Amino acid sequence: MTFIKISEQQSLYDNLEDKSVREILEEINNEDQKVALAVHKTLPQIEELVNLIVPRMRRGGRIFYIGAGTSGRLGVLDASEIPPTFGMPPTLIVGLIAGGDTALRNPVENAEDDIHRGWEELTEHNISENDTVIGIAASGTTPYVIGAMHEAKEHGILTACITSNPDSPMSHEADIAIEMIVGPEYVTGSSRMKSGTGQKMILNMISTSVMIKLGRVKGNKMVNMQLTNKKLIERGTRMIIEELGIDYDKANTLLLMHGSVEKTIEAYKNNNIK
């Protein structure tokens, strides 16, 4: 079967430089509306992946996102938001990007073409069979990602991928292939656009649903968020007031004493704090 890179096909629009700003914005917005529909079609695969990840993480497993360029940056971004949002250690979901931290801001020449480096980086984290490797690449052809996924699969580690092309080389290395077909980009080949938007949506779904199933959310509240600024302390205080029916000052004092909304509520209920 011939592999076709839909993500690299010609844009449906042309002569972009001749358009008004409003025309450009309208057309980009029209294309962006296709993303959520494309993501929706992948929900069965995302569901399957999450259902496999959760028991692994309960046994001490981790998630490794691995990608290059925009895809790698989005993986690092999602991973970096787990500790402040859910109060989990930064080692639980790890984002790896070809070229390392330098590549978060600047391109690193040939980094994504090294088929061995991704697996080397995973082994530096002592990857095991309880872990999950999720490759991210719009093209589905990034050697850095494919090499890491291939070796992970050979070692009995659960692999998945997020790509914008069907039947890609990366999909062949995945136990679960999430193929989000958003179509050609507005600027031909610029996968930071629709593909990047879809990748962010899917990463949100994976990490958020996993954290909910691991008990890091109560009701619909981020009861384990880190209290890193006044806004979050205020939000946490309001959560405690809502849950326990106590006054503001007492809620605020208890929150700062116990360090999280969940711990505060548990301590109050278990010890009947007055």
Side-chain angles (χ1 to χ4, degrees):
M1 183 176 180
T2 303
F3 171 52
I4 300 173
K5 285 189 183 181
I6 295 174
S7 61
E8 299 290 333
Q9 289 180 345
Q10 288 289 329
S11 171
L12 302 179
Y13 309 83
D14 204 353
N15 302 313
L16 305 186
E17 69 275 20
D18 296 329
K19 297 178 184 292
S20 68
V21 170
R22 184 55 180 264
E23 286 177 313
I24 293 170
L25 298 179
E26 290 280 2
E27 290 172 354
I28 291 175
N29 183 245
N30 286 339
E31 288 302 302
D32 284 344
Q33 292 179 48
K34 299 176 182 179
V35 178
L37 296 175
V39 170
H40 184 266
K41 292 179 180 178
T42 70
L43 291 184
Q45 290 74 42
I46 300 172
E47 178 186 19
E48 182 182 3
L49 177 60
V50 171
N51 283 332
L52 291 173
I53 288 175
V54 171
R56 283 169 166 77
M57 296 193 83
R58 286 181 176 146
R59 297 194 298 267
R62 301 158 293 172
I63 296 173
F64 289 91
Y65 297 139
I66 186 162
T70 298
S71 300
R73 294 182 189 104
L74 288 170
V76 172
L77 172 62
D78 193 75
S80 69
E81 291 174 340
I82 299 306
T85 306
F86 300 106
M88 297 296 268
T91 53
L92 195 70
I93 299 183
V94 179
L96 300 177
I97 180 172
D101 286 354
T102 299
L104 292 174
R105 292 183 180 273
N106 301 288
V108 176
E109 187 174 1
N110 298 324
E112 70 174 62
D113 297 326
D114 188 338
I115 199 167
H116 303 293
R117 184 57 186 152
W119 176 246
E120 290 171 358
E121 291 177 5
L122 288 172
T123 58
E124 290 168 7
H125 287 272
N126 298 312
I127 192 166
S128 75
E129 290 184 7
N130 284 329
D131 298 325
T132 303
V133 174
I134 302 176
I136 315 168
S139 68
T141 60
T142 307
Y144 169 81
V145 179
I146 293 171
M149 290 178 61
H150 177 79
E151 289 297 327
K153 194 172 183 179
E154 288 288 307
H155 286 76
I157 298 163
L158 176 64
T159 60
C161 71
I162 304 171
T163 178
S164 296
N165 289 300
D167 199 39
S168 69
M170 197 168 75
S171 293
H172 293 167
E173 300 296 346
D175 294 307
I176 300 174
I178 301 171
E179 297 175 330
M180 166 201 60
I181 313 303
V182 295
E185 297 288 359
Y186 183 69
V187 175
T188 299
S190 181
S191 56
R192 58 178 283 275
M193 301 187 75
K194 288 191 296 182
S195 290
T197 299
Q199 289 168 356
K200 180 67 167 66
M201 293 170 70
I202 292 170
L203 292 170
N204 281 346
M205 289 179 174
I206 293 170
S207 58
T208 302
S209 57
V210 166
M211 290 297 109
I212 291 170
K213 287 301 180 180
L214 290 177
R216 306 305 292 179
V217 172
K218 180 177 174 59
N220 56 21
K221 304 293 194 303
M222 296 184 291
V223 294
N224 289 287
M225 64 186 178
Q226 292 181 350
L227 306 176
T228 54
N229 56 51
K230 290 181 179 179
K231 177 190 73 175
L232 296 178
I233 293 171
E234 176 71 16
R235 180 184 295 167
T237 300
R238 295 295 175 190
M239 288 183 195
I240 292 167
I241 293 170
E242 181 180 322
E243 179 71 19
L244 301 179
I246 59 180
D247 64 44
Y248 180 92
D249 289 340
K250 181 177 288 186
N252 186 257
T253 299
L254 291 174
L255 176 62
L256 295 176
M257 179 189 303
H258 293 287
S260 79
V261 174
E262 184 174 62
K263 290 178 180 178
T264 300
I265 293 172
E266 287 178 355
Y268 187 92
K269 290 182 174 180
N270 290 339
N271 299 313
N272 196 27
I273 298 171
K274 300 296 184 183

PDB file of all heavy atoms in Angstrom, residues 139-170:
ATOM      1  N   SER A 139       3.820  14.008  10.264  1.00  0.00           N
ATOM      2  CA  SER A 139       4.167  13.241   9.061  1.00  0.00           C
ATOM      3  C   SER A 139       4.102  11.742   9.292  1.00  0.00           C
ATOM      4  O   SER A 139       3.806  10.965   8.390  1.00  0.00           O
ATOM      5  CB  SER A 139       5.577  13.615   8.597  1.00  0.00           C
ATOM      6  OG  SER A 139       6.547  13.158   9.533  1.00  0.00           O
ATOM      7  N   GLY A 140       4.422  11.334  10.519  1.00  0.00           N
ATOM      8  CA  GLY A 140       4.505   9.911  10.817  1.00  0.00           C
ATOM      9  C   GLY A 140       5.780   9.275  10.308  1.00  0.00           C
ATOM     10  O   GLY A 140       5.876   8.045  10.245  1.00  0.00           O
ATOM     11  N   THR A 141       6.778  10.108   9.972  1.00  0.00           N
ATOM     12  CA  THR A 141       8.012   9.570   9.374  1.00  0.00           C
ATOM     13  C   THR A 141       9.284   9.993  10.100  1.00  0.00           C
ATOM     14  O   THR A 141      10.378   9.731   9.613  1.00  0.00           O
ATOM     15  CB  THR A 141       8.125  10.027   7.901  1.00  0.00           C
ATOM     16  OG1 THR A 141       8.161  11.466   7.854  1.00  0.00           O
ATOM     17  CG2 THR A 141       6.952   9.516   7.066  1.00  0.00           C
ATOM     18  N   THR A 142       9.183  10.634  11.247  1.00  0.00           N
ATOM     19  CA  THR A 142      10.352  11.167  11.945  1.00  0.00           C
ATOM     20  C   THR A 142      11.230  10.040  12.485  1.00  0.00           C
ATOM     21  O   THR A 142      10.802   9.284  13.373  1.00  0.00           O
ATOM     22  CB  THR A 142       9.912  12.077  13.102  1.00  0.00           C
ATOM     23  OG1 THR A 142       9.014  13.068  12.599  1.00  0.00           O
ATOM     24  CG2 THR A 142      11.105  12.740  13.756  1.00  0.00           C
ATOM     25  N   PRO A 143      12.471   9.895  12.013  1.00  0.00           N
ATOM     26  CA  PRO A 143      13.331   8.785  12.439  1.00  0.00           C
ATOM     27  C   PRO A 143      13.565   8.736  13.950  1.00  0.00           C
ATOM     28  O   PRO A 143      13.561   7.645  14.539  1.00  0.00           O
ATOM     29  CB  PRO A 143      14.641   9.056  11.684  1.00  0.00           C
ATOM     30  CG  PRO A 143      14.211   9.792  10.456  1.00  0.00           C
ATOM     31  CD  PRO A 143      13.090  10.680  10.913  1.00  0.00           C
ATOM     32  N   TYR A 144      13.778   9.877  14.580  1.00  0.00           N
ATOM     33  CA  TYR A 144      13.995   9.953  16.032  1.00  0.00           C
ATOM     34  C   TYR A 144      12.849   9.277  16.785  1.00  0.00           C
ATOM     35  O   TYR A 144      13.065   8.549  17.756  1.00  0.00           O
ATOM     36  CB  TYR A 144      14.120  11.428  16.428  1.00  0.00           C
ATOM     37  CG  TYR A 144      14.101  11.728  17.904  1.00  0.00           C
ATOM     38  CD1 TYR A 144      15.244  11.575  18.681  1.00  0.00           C
ATOM     39  CD2 TYR A 144      12.944  12.212  18.518  1.00  0.00           C
ATOM     40  CE1 TYR A 144      15.234  11.881  20.039  1.00  0.00           C
ATOM     41  CE2 TYR A 144      12.922  12.525  19.865  1.00  0.00           C
ATOM     42  CZ  TYR A 144      14.070  12.357  20.628  1.00  0.00           C
ATOM     43  OH  TYR A 144      14.057  12.670  21.961  1.00  0.00           O
ATOM     44  N   VAL A 145      11.637   9.492  16.317  1.00  0.00           N
ATOM     45  CA  VAL A 145      10.454   8.928  16.967  1.00  0.00           C
ATOM     46  C   VAL A 145      10.284   7.461  16.598  1.00  0.00           C
ATOM     47  O   VAL A 145      10.041   6.609  17.461  1.00  0.00           O
ATOM     48  CB  VAL A 145       9.192   9.727  16.573  1.00  0.00           C
ATOM     49  CG1 VAL A 145       7.961   9.126  17.225  1.00  0.00           C
ATOM     50  CG2 VAL A 145       9.345  11.195  16.968  1.00  0.00           C
ATOM     51  N   ILE A 146      10.412   7.150  15.320  1.00  0.00           N
ATOM     52  CA  ILE A 146      10.214   5.780  14.853  1.00  0.00           C
ATOM     53  C   ILE A 146      11.201   4.823  15.514  1.00  0.00           C
ATOM     54  O   ILE A 146      10.832   3.723  15.956  1.00  0.00           O
ATOM     55  CB  ILE A 146      10.345   5.712  13.321  1.00  0.00           C
ATOM     56  CG1 ILE A 146       9.182   6.463  12.667  1.00  0.00           C
ATOM     57  CG2 ILE A 146      10.378   4.258  12.842  1.00  0.00           C
ATOM     58  CD1 ILE A 146       9.337   6.643  11.170  1.00  0.00           C
ATOM     59  N   GLY A 147      12.457   5.233  15.598  1.00  0.00           N
ATOM     60  CA  GLY A 147      13.478   4.385  16.226  1.00  0.00           C
ATOM     61  C   GLY A 147      13.156   4.085  17.677  1.00  0.00           C
ATOM     62  O   GLY A 147      13.287   2.939  18.135  1.00  0.00           O
ATOM     63  N   ALA A 148      12.711   5.103  18.402  1.00  0.00           N
ATOM     64  CA  ALA A 148      12.373   4.923  19.814  1.00  0.00           C
ATOM     65  C   ALA A 148      11.179   3.998  19.970  1.00  0.00           C
ATOM     66  O   ALA A 148      11.165   3.102  20.832  1.00  0.00           O
ATOM     67  CB  ALA A 148      12.081   6.282  20.449  1.00  0.00           C
ATOM     68  N   MET A 149      10.169   4.190  19.129  1.00  0.00           N
ATOM     69  CA  MET A 149       8.977   3.352  19.211  1.00  0.00           C
ATOM     70  C   MET A 149       9.295   1.900  18.852  1.00  0.00           C
ATOM     71  O   MET A 149       8.793   0.969  19.488  1.00  0.00           O
ATOM     72  CB  MET A 149       7.888   3.906  18.296  1.00  0.00           C
ATOM     73  CG  MET A 149       7.285   5.229  18.760  1.00  0.00           C
ATOM     74  SD  MET A 149       6.048   5.843  17.598  1.00  0.00           S
ATOM     75  CE  MET A 149       4.840   4.506  17.649  1.00  0.00           C
ATOM     76  N   HIS A 150      10.121   1.718  17.830  1.00  0.00           N
ATOM     77  CA  HIS A 150      10.476   0.362  17.401  1.00  0.00           C
ATOM     78  C   HIS A 150      11.147  -0.410  18.529  1.00  0.00           C
ATOM     79  O   HIS A 150      10.775  -1.559  18.833  1.00  0.00           O
ATOM     80  CB  HIS A 150      11.400   0.423  16.184  1.00  0.00           C
ATOM     81  CG  HIS A 150      11.871  -0.927  15.728  1.00  0.00           C
ATOM     82  ND1 HIS A 150      11.090  -1.773  14.971  1.00  0.00           N
ATOM     83  CD2 HIS A 150      13.045  -1.589  15.954  1.00  0.00           C
ATOM     84  CE1 HIS A 150      11.754  -2.891  14.734  1.00  0.00           C
ATOM     85  NE2 HIS A 150      12.942  -2.807  15.325  1.00  0.00           N
ATOM     86  N   GLU A 151      12.131   0.221  19.162  1.00  0.00           N
ATOM     87  CA  GLU A 151      12.848  -0.448  20.245  1.00  0.00           C
ATOM     88  C   GLU A 151      11.950  -0.674  21.455  1.00  0.00           C
ATOM     89  O   GLU A 151      12.028  -1.713  22.111  1.00  0.00           O
ATOM     90  CB  GLU A 151      14.081   0.371  20.651  1.00  0.00           C
ATOM     91  CG  GLU A 151      15.196   0.359  19.631  1.00  0.00           C
ATOM     92  CD  GLU A 151      15.766  -1.040  19.419  1.00  0.00           C
ATOM     93  OE1 GLU A 151      15.804  -1.828  20.388  1.00  0.00           O
ATOM     94  OE2 GLU A 151      16.167  -1.340  18.283  1.00  0.00           O
ATOM     95  N   ALA A 152      11.101   0.295  21.742  1.00  0.00           N
ATOM     96  CA  ALA A 152      10.175   0.143  22.871  1.00  0.00           C
ATOM     97  C   ALA A 152       9.262  -1.056  22.648  1.00  0.00           C
ATOM     98  O   ALA A 152       9.066  -1.883  23.553  1.00  0.00           O
ATOM     99  CB  ALA A 152       9.359   1.418  23.052  1.00  0.00           C
ATOM    100  N   LYS A 153       8.735  -1.161  21.452  1.00  0.00           N
ATOM    101  CA  LYS A 153       7.849  -2.278  21.134  1.00  0.00           C
ATOM    102  C   LYS A 153       8.594  -3.613  21.224  1.00  0.00           C
ATOM    103  O   LYS A 153       8.047  -4.612  21.718  1.00  0.00           O
ATOM    104  CB  LYS A 153       7.250  -2.084  19.744  1.00  0.00           C
ATOM    105  CG  LYS A 153       6.072  -2.994  19.436  1.00  0.00           C
ATOM    106  CD  LYS A 153       5.408  -2.598  18.119  1.00  0.00           C
ATOM    107  CE  LYS A 153       4.190  -3.458  17.831  1.00  0.00           C
ATOM    108  NZ  LYS A 153       3.530  -3.078  16.566  1.00  0.00           N
ATOM    109  N   GLU A 154       9.831  -3.631  20.760  1.00  0.00           N
ATOM    110  CA  GLU A 154      10.650  -4.841  20.829  1.00  0.00           C
ATOM    111  C   GLU A 154      10.878  -5.278  22.269  1.00  0.00           C
ATOM    112  O   GLU A 154      11.062  -6.459  22.553  1.00  0.00           O
ATOM    113  CB  GLU A 154      12.002  -4.599  20.144  1.00  0.00           C
ATOM    114  CG  GLU A 154      11.936  -4.512  18.632  1.00  0.00           C
ATOM    115  CD  GLU A 154      11.669  -5.860  17.994  1.00  0.00           C
ATOM    116  OE1 GLU A 154      12.412  -6.814  18.295  1.00  0.00           O
ATOM    117  OE2 GLU A 154      10.699  -5.972  17.215  1.00  0.00           O
ATOM    118  N   HIS A 155      10.876  -4.303  23.186  1.00  0.00           N
ATOM    119  CA  HIS A 155      11.106  -4.590  24.599  1.00  0.00           C
ATOM    120  C   HIS A 155       9.797  -4.791  25.366  1.00  0.00           C
ATOM    121  O   HIS A 155       9.792  -4.772  26.603  1.00  0.00           O
ATOM    122  CB  HIS A 155      11.921  -3.467  25.240  1.00  0.00           C
ATOM    123  CG  HIS A 155      13.369  -3.479  24.859  1.00  0.00           C
ATOM    124  ND1 HIS A 155      13.841  -3.045  23.631  1.00  0.00           N
ATOM    125  CD2 HIS A 155      14.467  -3.896  25.546  1.00  0.00           C
ATOM    126  CE1 HIS A 155      15.149  -3.183  23.583  1.00  0.00           C
ATOM    127  NE2 HIS A 155      15.561  -3.695  24.735  1.00  0.00           N
ATOM    128  N   GLY A 156       8.695  -4.961  24.657  1.00  0.00           N
ATOM    129  CA  GLY A 156       7.429  -5.246  25.310  1.00  0.00           C
ATOM    130  C   GLY A 156       6.760  -4.063  25.972  1.00  0.00           C
ATOM    131  O   GLY A 156       5.922  -4.223  26.863  1.00  0.00           O
ATOM    132  N   ILE A 157       7.115  -2.870  25.534  1.00  0.00           N
ATOM    133  CA  ILE A 157       6.560  -1.645  26.104  1.00  0.00           C
ATOM    134  C   ILE A 157       5.403  -1.164  25.228  1.00  0.00           C
ATOM    135  O   ILE A 157       5.500  -1.185  23.996  1.00  0.00           O
ATOM    136  CB  ILE A 157       7.655  -0.560  26.208  1.00  0.00           C
ATOM    137  CG1 ILE A 157       8.763  -1.032  27.150  1.00  0.00           C
ATOM    138  CG2 ILE A 157       7.076   0.776  26.656  1.00  0.00           C
ATOM    139  CD1 ILE A 157      10.053  -0.256  27.014  1.00  0.00           C
ATOM    140  N   LEU A 158       4.317  -0.740  25.840  1.00  0.00           N
ATOM    141  CA  LEU A 158       3.153  -0.253  25.106  1.00  0.00           C
ATOM    142  C   LEU A 158       3.534   0.993  24.292  1.00  0.00           C
ATOM    143  O   LEU A 158       4.117   1.937  24.817  1.00  0.00           O
ATOM    144  CB  LEU A 158       2.036   0.104  26.083  1.00  0.00           C
ATOM    145  CG  LEU A 158       0.766   0.727  25.481  1.00  0.00           C
ATOM    146  CD1 LEU A 158       0.067  -0.253  24.539  1.00  0.00           C
ATOM    147  CD2 LEU A 158      -0.180   1.176  26.593  1.00  0.00           C
ATOM    148  N   THR A 159       3.194   0.971  23.004  1.00  0.00           N
ATOM    149  CA  THR A 159       3.493   2.114  22.139  1.00  0.00           C
ATOM    150  C   THR A 159       2.220   2.636  21.484  1.00  0.00           C
ATOM    151  O   THR A 159       1.311   1.876  21.160  1.00  0.00           O
ATOM    152  CB  THR A 159       4.499   1.737  21.035  1.00  0.00           C
ATOM    153  OG1 THR A 159       3.944   0.687  20.228  1.00  0.00           O
ATOM    154  CG2 THR A 159       5.829   1.298  21.614  1.00  0.00           C
ATOM    155  N   ALA A 160       2.190   3.943  21.291  1.00  0.00           N
ATOM    156  CA  ALA A 160       1.090   4.598  20.584  1.00  0.00           C
ATOM    157  C   ALA A 160       1.669   5.752  19.788  1.00  0.00           C
ATOM    158  O   ALA A 160       2.820   6.157  19.999  1.00  0.00           O
ATOM    159  CB  ALA A 160       0.029   5.089  21.563  1.00  0.00           C
ATOM    160  N   CYS A 161       0.878   6.273  18.878  1.00  0.00           N
ATOM    161  CA  CYS A 161       1.349   7.433  18.126  1.00  0.00           C
ATOM    162  C   CYS A 161       0.191   8.359  17.810  1.00  0.00           C
ATOM    163  O   CYS A 161      -0.972   7.952  17.785  1.00  0.00           O
ATOM    164  CB  CYS A 161       2.058   7.016  16.839  1.00  0.00           C
ATOM    165  SG  CYS A 161       0.966   6.355  15.561  1.00  0.00           S
ATOM    166  N   ILE A 162       0.536   9.613  17.593  1.00  0.00           N
ATOM    167  CA  ILE A 162      -0.415  10.629  17.141  1.00  0.00           C
ATOM    168  C   ILE A 162       0.143  11.189  15.837  1.00  0.00           C
ATOM    169  O   ILE A 162       1.221  11.794  15.827  1.00  0.00           O
ATOM    170  CB  ILE A 162      -0.578  11.756  18.176  1.00  0.00           C
ATOM    171  CG1 ILE A 162      -0.987  11.182  19.540  1.00  0.00           C
ATOM    172  CG2 ILE A 162      -1.603  12.778  17.692  1.00  0.00           C
ATOM    173  CD1 ILE A 162      -0.958  12.216  20.663  1.00  0.00           C
ATOM    174  N   THR A 163      -0.581  10.982  14.758  1.00  0.00           N
ATOM    175  CA  THR A 163      -0.097  11.416  13.447  1.00  0.00           C
ATOM    176  C   THR A 163      -1.250  11.953  12.605  1.00  0.00           C
ATOM    177  O   THR A 163      -2.416  11.715  12.908  1.00  0.00           O
ATOM    178  CB  THR A 163       0.589  10.245  12.715  1.00  0.00           C
ATOM    179  OG1 THR A 163       1.021  10.678  11.419  1.00  0.00           O
ATOM    180  CG2 THR A 163      -0.352   9.068  12.557  1.00  0.00           C
ATOM    181  N   SER A 164      -0.902  12.691  11.565  1.00  0.00           N
ATOM    182  CA  SER A 164      -1.917  13.266  10.678  1.00  0.00           C
ATOM    183  C   SER A 164      -2.003  12.544   9.347  1.00  0.00           C
ATOM    184  O   SER A 164      -2.617  13.051   8.406  1.00  0.00           O
ATOM    185  CB  SER A 164      -1.602  14.748  10.427  1.00  0.00           C
ATOM    186  OG  SER A 164      -1.697  15.482  11.622  1.00  0.00           O
ATOM    187  N   ASN A 165      -1.382  11.398   9.268  1.00  0.00           N
ATOM    188  CA  ASN A 165      -1.383  10.620   8.029  1.00  0.00           C
ATOM    189  C   ASN A 165      -1.738   9.165   8.311  1.00  0.00           C
ATOM    190  O   ASN A 165      -1.281   8.593   9.299  1.00  0.00           O
ATOM    191  CB  ASN A 165      -0.010  10.680   7.354  1.00  0.00           C
ATOM    192  CG  ASN A 165       0.279  12.049   6.774  1.00  0.00           C
ATOM    193  OD1 ASN A 165      -0.445  12.534   5.914  1.00  0.00           O
ATOM    194  ND2 ASN A 165       1.333  12.697   7.269  1.00  0.00           N
ATOM    195  N   PRO A 166      -2.542   8.538   7.450  1.00  0.00           N
ATOM    196  CA  PRO A 166      -2.894   7.132   7.641  1.00  0.00           C
ATOM    197  C   PRO A 166      -1.781   6.202   7.166  1.00  0.00           C
ATOM    198  O   PRO A 166      -1.045   6.510   6.231  1.00  0.00           O
ATOM    199  CB  PRO A 166      -4.139   6.978   6.757  1.00  0.00           C
ATOM    200  CG  PRO A 166      -3.936   7.973   5.658  1.00  0.00           C
ATOM    201  CD  PRO A 166      -3.211   9.142   6.278  1.00  0.00           C
ATOM    202  N   ASP A 167      -1.663   5.073   7.877  1.00  0.00           N
ATOM    203  CA  ASP A 167      -0.756   4.008   7.446  1.00  0.00           C
ATOM    204  C   ASP A 167       0.692   4.471   7.326  1.00  0.00           C
ATOM    205  O   ASP A 167       1.425   4.065   6.428  1.00  0.00           O
ATOM    206  CB  ASP A 167      -1.229   3.439   6.104  1.00  0.00           C
ATOM    207  CG  ASP A 167      -0.641   2.067   5.824  1.00  0.00           C
ATOM    208  OD1 ASP A 167      -0.537   1.274   6.768  1.00  0.00           O
ATOM    209  OD2 ASP A 167      -0.270   1.807   4.660  1.00  0.00           O
ATOM    210  N   SER A 168       1.121   5.314   8.259  1.00  0.00           N
ATOM    211  CA  SER A 168       2.485   5.853   8.225  1.00  0.00           C
ATOM    212  C   SER A 168       3.473   4.858   8.833  1.00  0.00           C
ATOM    213  O   SER A 168       3.078   3.932   9.556  1.00  0.00           O
ATOM    214  CB  SER A 168       2.558   7.161   9.013  1.00  0.00           C
ATOM    215  OG  SER A 168       2.403   6.910  10.403  1.00  0.00           O
ATOM    216  N   PRO A 169       4.767   5.034   8.585  1.00  0.00           N
ATOM    217  CA  PRO A 169       5.770   4.180   9.232  1.00  0.00           C
ATOM    218  C   PRO A 169       5.666   4.213  10.753  1.00  0.00           C
ATOM    219  O   PRO A 169       5.875   3.195  11.408  1.00  0.00           O
ATOM    220  CB  PRO A 169       7.095   4.785   8.749  1.00  0.00           C
ATOM    221  CG  PRO A 169       6.765   5.392   7.422  1.00  0.00           C
ATOM    222  CD  PRO A 169       5.377   5.936   7.579  1.00  0.00           C
ATOM    223  N   MET A 170       5.319   5.357  11.306  1.00  0.00           N
ATOM    224  CA  MET A 170       5.174   5.463  12.754  1.00  0.00           C
ATOM    225  C   MET A 170       3.995   4.639  13.249  1.00  0.00           C
ATOM    226  O   MET A 170       4.063   3.983  14.290  1.00  0.00           O
ATOM    227  CB  MET A 170       5.005   6.935  13.157  1.00  0.00           C
ATOM    228  CG  MET A 170       5.247   7.208  14.629  1.00  0.00           C
ATOM    229  SD  MET A 170       5.387   8.974  14.973  1.00  0.00           S
ATOM    230  CE  MET A 170       3.669   9.465  14.858  1.00  0.00           C
TER     231      MET A 170
END
